[in-house]
Every structure is written in structure tokens, then in C-alpha cells.
Amino acid sequence: MDRITGIADRSFGDWCTNYREIIGERLLAPKTLALREVVLRIGLALWESWPIGNIQVKDVADLLKAKSKEGKLRMANLTSSILTDVFREAMSAGWINENFKAETILQQTRHNGPSLPGDSLHPDSISRGFADQRDELGLGVNPPTLHEIRSLAARLYAKAYSPAFAQLVLGHKSADMTAVYLDNRGSEWTVAEAPFRKSFE
């Protein structure tokens, strides 16, 4: 089917031409546009003639790991963020149909218990860091957890676009995992209207 519709012939280079038009309409600062162009050129050097649908998460992960090994951790994370946007826009435009989420490299920057600088950052550290910052704001007795905020974001994206788009943004490999985030578990408000009475007996 892809061969009939021409999707199989759409290259990463072709999509980059479209993507430049998309970001041109965002009214981004010149420095931001320049950084995106740097990352696009990195991608074009590797995959310009590749059918965009053939580029896998592993291909991007290999690129990010190479940057990290060169000591360019900041550039690796910037590349991850921009390529995620590149492929997210490609999915929205119908150029690719599958979930694609570039890997973000998060590493320790200081000693933390047994963890050394450069070690992978444990997910629990992210949740604790979020909780610490949240508690400093004093948001009340029952403030939201990081998971609850991700769940809310997933539901908003699913409502505004589609469940598939929410899966893409959250970086889940399966729709089943996204479905867990889309389940509000009865937490939404239910409005019950009682009949009005002028007096009580």
C-alpha cells in the first residue's frame, strides 16, 4: 500500500524540507532556528536518502550515544529533543505511522549515594526531584504527583489530537501503556444536581 501511495518513497531529506517550513511558521528566535538547523544537518548527513519510515529508534539512539561518548552530552540531549519534534511533526502530517520517540540521555551530574557522575539517572530520582520542587511551592494538602501530571497531559493530548499522538509524546512503546495513562480511574468530577426547594420541612 505504501508503494502505491508513494509514502515508501518519502525520504528523510524530503521531510526536512517540509519541516523547515513548519518551524519557519513558529516565529522562533534566530538562535533557536540555527540550533534546529544544526541538528537537521546532522540527521541529513546520516539519513538524507533513507525512506523516513525506515529510520528506527535504534538509529537515533546510536547517534545520541556517539555524541555522549564524545563528551557532548548537552548536544546529545538537544539532538534528542529536536529529532523528537521532527518525527512528531512527520507523524502528524501522515509521513510516518509508527510511534517514534528519541531517547533522552539523563545522567548524574554529581555523587548521589552509590551513583557517580555520568551514571544513568534513575527514574525514582526524577520523581523525587519533582516532588521536592513541588513541595517547596506549597500547593496544598494533596498536590499532584509526577505520574498524575503525565496522565493529565496524556488525556489532554488524546482529546486534542488522538490517543496515538499521546502515545508518541509520552514515548510509550505500546498503546496498552498509554491506555493506563488515559484511564482517569474515576477521578473526574461528577456534577449532581438536586431539585431546588424553597423551604425545608
Side-chain angles (χ1 to χ4, degrees), residues 99-201:
N99 179 24
F100 188 102
K101 177 68 169 69
E103 175 183 305
T104 299
I105 301 174
L106 298 176
Q107 296 180 338
Q108 293 285 152
T109 58
R110 60 178 184 271
H111 289 275
N112 183 17
S115 299
L116 301 174
D119 287 350
S120 296
L121 193 62
H122 194 279
D124 288 346
S125 298
I126 300 174
S127 296
R128 286 196 300 270
F130 169 83
D132 290 342
Q133 295 296 317
R134 175 204 63 199
D135 292 344
E136 285 186 11
L137 295 175
L139 299 179
V141 179
N142 189 26
T145 65
L146 180 61
H147 175 82
E148 288 170 339
I149 290 179
R150 279 175 58 83
S151 178
L152 173 61
R155 282 178 276 143
L156 291 174
Y157 277 123
K159 183 177 181 180
Y161 300 100
S162 69
F165 188 80
Q167 179 184 344
L168 174 68
V169 173
L170 268 65
H172 293 154
K173 293 182 179 180
S174 72
D176 290 341
M177 176 59 73
T178 305
V180 173
Y181 281 76
L182 296 180
D183 181 6
N184 60 39
R185 300 172 184 82
S187 62
E188 300 293 343
W189 288 101
T190 300
V191 178
E193 296 185 5
F196 178 75
R197 293 183 180 179
K198 293 183 178 180
S199 62
F200 296 90
E201 298 181 357

